[in-house]
Amino acid sequence: MSPRTVSLALITLLVILGHPGTTESQEWNTPPGLQLDPSLCGGQGGGLALWTDERVPGRTRLYWARLAGSWPSVHAVPLTDDPAVELRGALAADPPWGLAVWEAWTETGPRLHAVELPDPLWPSTVNPTPVTPGGWGIWRPAVAVAGSVAVLIWEDERDAPGDLYFARWDRGRGLRDAGGIPLAVGASEQRWARVTRGGDGFLAVW
């Protein structure tokens, strides 16, 4: 059976409410169609969710929603109007702003795209910024936000499989490092990088 014949009718989001020892899970049913690769981060008064969604036949795009208030008052909208296939999105926020990054696949291959999430982090459709120009493989991006700066990390095959690159993004100004900067390159392959804010800067592992 081809993976494309397998569909999920819903995304299940487990929401932790209250204090430790007092939890409540709630299930959010989305429209029929394949939904995969969810990402979650904290936001003002709740959280933000991002995922790849095929509710519209022939379109594979990212949707995002703010998880706050009474359930199911969750307003999900497409993140962009880009015709590219949008996969493996990641997002992070330091209210009142945030950043999303993902693989944007076209007939010429994948590019890394990113977008600054609008203040006050209420879902709307926005225009993406290319981080890489395309022409080689890019995989599994990760992002972290601290203050007015975000850091993006991804697997990059411009020179060799398994290299890691990174770029910085300044709130309100956009991408600082077009195309990216080598982070970890060499004979061994670096995979599944993660990044988070730490102290006065950022921490990355892979």
Side-chain angles (χ1 to χ4, degrees):
M1 177 182 293
S2 167
R4 304 297 290 178
T5 66
V6 179
S7 64
L8 302 177
L10 57 85
I11 291 177
T12 299
L13 299 176
L14 297 180
V15 181
I16 307 301
L17 305 175
H19 301 286
T22 304
T23 63
E24 178 183 350
S25 65
Q26 302 189 52
E27 193 171 90
W28 173 25
N29 291 309
T30 57
L34 182 68
Q35 286 119 22
L36 69 161
D37 294 333
S39 181
L40 188 68
C41 75
Q44 288 177 309
L48 300 172
L50 176 74
W51 66 96
T52 295
D53 196 300
E54 291 187 347
R55 68 182 67 188
V56 177
R59 293 294 303 273
T60 302
R61 60 200 307 194
L62 290 172
Y63 275 69
W64 71 302
R66 184 180 182 189
L67 311 178
S70 300
W71 218 264
S73 59
V74 179
H75 181 57
V77 299
L79 181 64
T80 78
D81 284 325
D82 189 11
V85 173
E86 299 172 331
L87 299 174
R88 283 178 279 276
L91 81 166
D94 189 357
W97 82 293
L99 194 77
V101 58
W102 65 94
E103 301 169 17
W105 287 76
T106 67
E107 293 181 354
T108 60
R111 288 191 294 268
L112 192 70
H113 279 186
V115 70
E116 188 169 318
L117 303 179
D119 185 3
L121 296 176
W122 193 261
S124 58
T125 301
V126 288
N127 294 321
T129 296
V131 178
T132 63
W136 60 82
I138 57 98
W139 309 94
R140 290 179 280 274
V143 61
V145 177
S148 61
V149 178
V151 167
L152 299 69
I153 296 179
W154 66 94
E155 297 172 26
D156 194 295
E157 296 184 351
R158 70 185 72 185
D159 294 319
D163 287 347
L164 292 180
Y165 275 64
F166 80 99
R168 293 161 294 181
W169 184 290
D170 297 308
R171 180 188 178 193
R173 297 182 180 181
L175 183 65
R176 189 191 307 181
D177 308 301
I181 300 171
L183 175 65
V185 299
S188 62
E189 294 188 8
Q190 289 73 222
R191 302 288 186 185
W192 299 99
R194 295 293 182 264
V195 61
T196 187
R197 61 186 301 172
D200 295 329
F202 296 87
L203 298 173
V205 295
W206 59 87

